[in-house]
Amino acid sequence: MSFDIFLYAKTDLRMFNIKEINLEKKGVFNYEIKAKKDKLNPYDESFVYSDKSEDIFEANDEIIISNLGKKIILFNNYSKNINNFKKAKKTHLLNLALLGSLNIFFIILAFLNNFNTINCFLVLFGLLFLTMGLINLKLLNKQIHILKNFKSEEMKQFLEKNH
């Protein structure tokens, strides 16, 4: 289980044209994307993304990403009109379902063991993670709404103001 799903609030927003792509296949396609230097991107930054599809990015594509460090969490490729919003939402919902079923298991254990301390602690711990997951689902939906509904020019203006 990856805990990246709980870190949407810490992601950065970047918009750039792709300078170069290194594509490596190890079960899935691992992309290393290098951004062109421009007003919004003064550094030689590179980001990584993994997917089953081979033709998501190409050189000179204009993309906007929500990244956590070097890892791309969400992206919208304006040049090809491709994004990973459904995949990100599906992954998040599957992780929430796993946390919910694990919490139900802990509640059943607590009930069967007469609510001993360890089981109550596990239930509270599970509820904490479930709450964090629900909050982050709301944040994910907000980020998807922003990335989906803003045009390229509007995003550039916004990022230039806040850069």
Side-chain angles (χ1 to χ4, degrees):
M1 183 172 150
S2 172
F3 290 100
D4 289 344
I5 63 163
F6 296 109
L7 302 173
Y8 288 111
K10 295 185 176 192
T11 59
D12 293 326
L13 195 61
R14 302 258 198 280
M15 184 171 188
F16 57 87
N17 286 332
I18 298 174
K19 175 182 174 182
E20 179 183 330
I21 299 172
N22 293 326
L23 185 61
E24 185 178 312
K25 183 171 181 175
K26 290 184 179 177
V28 294
F29 292 98
N30 294 317
Y31 293 88
E32 182 181 356
I33 300 167
K34 294 187 181 185
K36 286 184 181 179
K37 284 186 181 181
D38 59 11
K39 186 177 182 181
L40 291 175
N41 301 297
Y43 308 109
D44 254 346
E45 292 184 294
S46 63
F47 303 97
V48 294
Y49 182 71
S50 297
D51 200 293
K52 296 176 184 174
S53 301
E54 181 179 7
D55 56 350
I56 296 175
F57 304 110
E58 289 181 5
N60 297 319
D61 280 354
E62 183 178 39
I63 65 172
I64 185 160
I65 64 169
S66 177
N67 64 301
L68 181 63
K70 297 292 180 187
K71 185 177 180 184
I72 296 174
I73 305 296
L74 294 171
F75 74 86
N76 191 359
N77 188 337
Y78 289 115
S79 301
K80 290 187 172 184
N81 200 20
I82 297 174
N83 58 51
N84 70 335
F85 302 151
K86 286 182 182 178
K87 178 186 171 192
K89 202 181 277 192
K90 179 182 170 186
T91 303
H92 195 80
L93 289 173
L94 285 173
N95 284 327
L96 275 177
L98 175 67
L99 285 171
S101 60
L102 193 62
N103 206 30
I104 290 171
F105 175 72
F106 289 150
I107 290 170
I108 291 170
L109 277 180
F111 182 74
L112 293 175
N113 291 325
N114 296 322
F115 297 97
N116 65 9
T117 306
I118 293 174
N119 292 117
C120 289
F121 176 74
L122 290 174
V123 168
L124 290 175
F125 195 68
L127 285 173
L128 174 70
F129 274 113
L130 195 59
T131 304
M132 285 172 50
L134 290 171
I135 290 168
N136 282 305
L137 179 62
K138 184 171 173 80
L139 289 171
L140 173 68
N141 285 329
K142 282 184 179 182
Q143 286 183 352
I144 287 173
H145 177 75
I146 290 168
L147 293 177
K148 186 187 289 187
N149 293 323
F150 283 90
K151 304 277 187 244
S152 173
E153 296 79 28
E154 294 171 329
M155 275 303 209
K156 284 180 185 177
Q157 290 173 357
F158 172 76
L159 290 173
E160 284 175 357
K161 284 182 187 177
N162 296 317
H163 193 267

